[in-house]
Amino acid sequence: MSKVLIIGAGGVGTVVAHKVARNDVFTDIMLASRTKSKCDAIAEAVGGGRIKTARVDADSVPELCGLMRSFKPDIVINVALPYQDLTIMDACLECGVNYLDTANYEPKDEAKFEYSWQWAYRDRFEKAGLTAILGCGFDPGVSAIFTAYAAKHYFDEIHYLDIVDCNAGNHGMAFATNFNPEINIREVTQKGRYWENGRWVTTEPHEIHRPLNYPEIGPRESYVIYHEELESLVKNYPSIKRARFWMTFGQEYLTHLRVIQNIGMARIDPIVYNGMEIVPIQFLKAVLPDPKELGQNYTGETSIGCRIRGIKDGKERTYYIYNNCSHEAAFRETGTQAVSYTTGVPAALGAAMFAKGLWEKPGVHNVEEFDPDPFLAELGPQGLPWVEKFDVDLEVD
C-alpha cells in the first residue's frame, strides 16, 4: 500500500486523480497545485472522500518540502509544468520521496528540452535509494514501453523506429491546443530533429512531411518533429539506425501557428506593455481556450503507436503497435479529452507499478528501462487497449 502526492490540477492531473482513486494500492492521495480551488473541484468530481487537497507552489522547494514532510508520500506524480521538474526532484531528494513525471525538463526562458538535466540527478537518487521514473505519459511513455516490449519479444535488433501520433479529433474551436498552450506551442514550433546513422539530423520546422494512414481514421498529413523519447530510446537501444517522431497537424492549425509566430506572440522573452512586463506566449495562453475545457464538445479519436523494422532470427520483420482513444469516451469517464486521458492513465499506472514493487530501481530511469510486460498487461484494462500488427507495410521507409 502506498501514499501518493499528485502535483498539477490540469487535464492530465484530473485523469491521474480519477485513476489513482480507483486503485486500492494507494491508501492515501493528495492533489496539490498553485490554485487549491482547482484541486477541490477535481476531488469533488472523483468523490468518495478519497482525495485530500492542498496549495503548493511547485517552483518553491521549501513549499514542496513542507507539503511532503506533512503528508509523507511514498511517490510524487509530477504533472505540473516541465520547467518545474527540477524543483520537484530537488524536493524529493531532500525529503526522501520517489518521483515520476510525464515530460522532460525544459528551462522557462529557453525553448529547449532534453533529458541531460534530469539524467544528471541519477547518482543522487541512487545514493538516496530513491526511484525516479521519467516520461511516463503516452509519448513519451507508452511509446517507449511499446518499443521495449517489441525489443523483448519480437526483435533481436531494432533498426528503424517511427513513433506516429495522430489526433483526428474535432473540438469545434478555430484554434486551441490540446495541452498547456505555452508548452505545446514551444514544442511544435521548434526545428525538427531525428536520429540517423549515429547522429542527429536537424530540419526546419515541419520540413519533412507525408500522409500516413492511421487505423480507423485513414490518411492524415504527418510531420517529423523532435520529441524527447527519441533521446533516451537511441541511447538504450543502440542498434537503432534511424528514429523519428511524426505528428499530424491540420492546415488551419499550421496557419494559426505561423501567424502567432509572425506577430511575435510565440515569444518567451518578456516585453514591457503599459509599464508592465509580460511574456507574449503566457499572455496568449491566458486568452486561448483552456485545454481542460475542450472535452465536452470533442469528437473523434487519437491514434498513437510505434512502427518498427528490424531483425529476428536473421530475418527482417515489421511490427506496428498502437492505441486508439476516443475523445468522447475519455470525457464520459473523466471529464477530459483524449490527449489528457492518454497522458494521465500511464502516469497513474506507472505509479502503481512502483507501488507494487514492479518498477522500483534506485536512480533516474526512463520508462523503457523497466519491464514492459506488467505495465502493458494493465494498460488495456485501465482504458487504453493496444493492438499489434505483424509484417505489414509501415509506410515510413
Side-chain angles (χ1 to χ4, degrees), residues 11-255:
V12 178
T14 300
V15 177
V16 171
H18 276 270
K19 290 298 186 179
V20 163
R22 295 173 194 164
N23 194 327
D24 291 340
V25 75
F26 300 109
T27 54
D28 296 274
I29 306 164
M30 172 76 76
L31 176 62
S33 78
R34 194 187 300 268
T35 307
K36 186 175 180 295
S37 59
K38 292 182 178 180
C39 301
D40 293 338
I42 294 169
E44 183 177 354
V46 171
R50 284 278 280 149
I51 299 176
K52 303 179 180 69
T53 64
R55 183 200 177 278
V56 72
D57 180 356
D59 291 320
S60 169
V61 173
E63 279 199 31
L64 288 163
C65 282
L67 179 59
M68 289 182 195
R69 289 184 178 121
S70 171
F71 183 60
K72 296 181 173 58
D74 297 292
I75 188 168
V76 164
I77 301 176
N78 169 18
V79 284
L81 296 173
Y83 47 72
Q84 295 168 323
D85 288 359
L86 300 189
T87 53
I88 297 174
M89 291 180 78
D90 285 334
C92 284
L93 280 171
E94 187 171 328
C95 299
V97 180
N98 300 282
Y99 173 89
L100 179 146
D101 67 27
T102 63
N104 70 354
Y105 174 74
E106 58 180 278
K108 195 170 186 178
D109 58 355
E110 183 181 6
K112 177 182 179 180
F113 52 94
E114 60 183 42
Y115 277 117
S116 60
W117 290 288
Q118 291 178 277
W119 285 345
Y121 281 65
R122 182 171 290 131
D123 288 345
R124 280 177 283 172
F125 269 82
E126 189 171 354
K127 289 176 182 175
L130 297 172
T131 299
I133 301 170
L134 303 185
C136 197
F138 206 105
D139 46 352
V142 176
S143 56
I145 297 166
F146 280 166
T147 304
Y149 186 79
K152 179 177 179 179
H153 295 284
Y154 303 128
F155 290 92
D156 296 323
E157 290 185 0
I158 291 176
H159 290 168
Y160 300 96
L161 168 66
D162 287 274
I163 300 168
V164 292
D165 182 326
C166 172
N167 180 8
N170 181 9
H171 47 55
M173 302 284 185
F175 181 83
T177 61
N178 292 295
F179 57 95
N180 185 287
E182 184 179 356
I183 303 303
N184 187 202
I185 293 171
R186 281 163 59 131
E187 175 183 302
V188 302
T189 56
Q190 291 189 52
K191 289 189 175 184
R193 192 162 68 129
Y194 64 93
W195 180 261
E196 188 166 37
N197 297 325
R199 67 183 185 93
W200 291 105
V201 179
T202 301
T203 70
E204 291 304 311
H206 313 133
E207 176 184 344
I208 298 175
H209 59 95
R210 62 176 295 177
L212 298 175
N213 284 284
Y214 294 87
E216 313 302 326
I217 293 170
R220 290 290 189 277
E221 198 68 18
S222 306
Y223 298 79
V224 170
I225 67 171
Y226 178 64
H227 225 243
E228 62 251 52
E229 66 262 50
L230 298 181
E231 183 183 8
S232 66
L233 287 169
V234 299
K235 173 177 173 288
N236 289 317
Y237 298 97
S239 66
I240 292 177
K241 297 178 181 180
R242 187 187 66 213
R244 298 177 296 192
F245 186 100
W246 303 76
M247 182 172 281
T248 61
F249 301 109
Q251 285 304 309
E252 187 174 4
Y253 178 89
L254 291 177
T255 299

Side-chain angles (χ1 to χ4, degrees), residues 236-371:
N236 289 317
Y237 298 97
S239 66
I240 292 177
K241 297 178 181 180
R242 187 187 66 213
R244 298 177 296 192
F245 186 100
W246 303 76
M247 182 172 281
T248 61
F249 301 109
Q251 285 304 309
E252 187 174 4
Y253 178 89
L254 291 177
T255 299
H256 276 85
L257 206 58
R258 282 193 294 272
V259 172
I260 286 168
Q261 290 179 281
N262 290 341
I263 64 176
M265 288 305 296
R267 288 174 55 175
I268 63 173
D269 55 312
I271 63 168
V272 176
Y273 173 73
N274 280 353
M276 296 178 59
E277 196 174 81
I278 66 168
V279 175
I281 198 170
Q282 293 178 354
F283 174 80
L284 180 64
K285 172 187 173 182
V287 298
L288 286 176
D290 183 348
K292 187 178 176 180
E293 305 302 321
L294 295 176
Q296 187 168 6
N297 298 311
Y298 225 134
T299 59
E301 59 188 337
T302 62
S303 181
I304 311 173
C306 297
R307 303 184 184 191
I308 299 171
R309 180 156 56 99
I311 300 294
K312 179 67 174 179
D313 298 329
K315 297 180 181 179
E316 184 174 279
R317 76 179 317 182
T318 63
Y319 175 67
Y320 182 19
I321 180 171
Y322 65 91
N323 160 265
N324 277 33
C325 182
S326 161
H327 287 289
E328 295 100 323
F331 182 77
R332 285 194 298 270
E333 183 182 345
T334 63
T336 66
Q337 33 89 352
V339 177
S340 295
Y341 191 86
T342 54
T343 305
V345 171
L349 182 54
M353 292 292 103
F354 170 82
K356 294 175 182 179
L358 298 170
W359 279 16
E360 189 173 4
K361 187 192 304 182
V364 175
H365 306 282
N366 293 85
V367 290
E368 68 268 21
E369 297 174 63
F370 298 95
D371 185 0

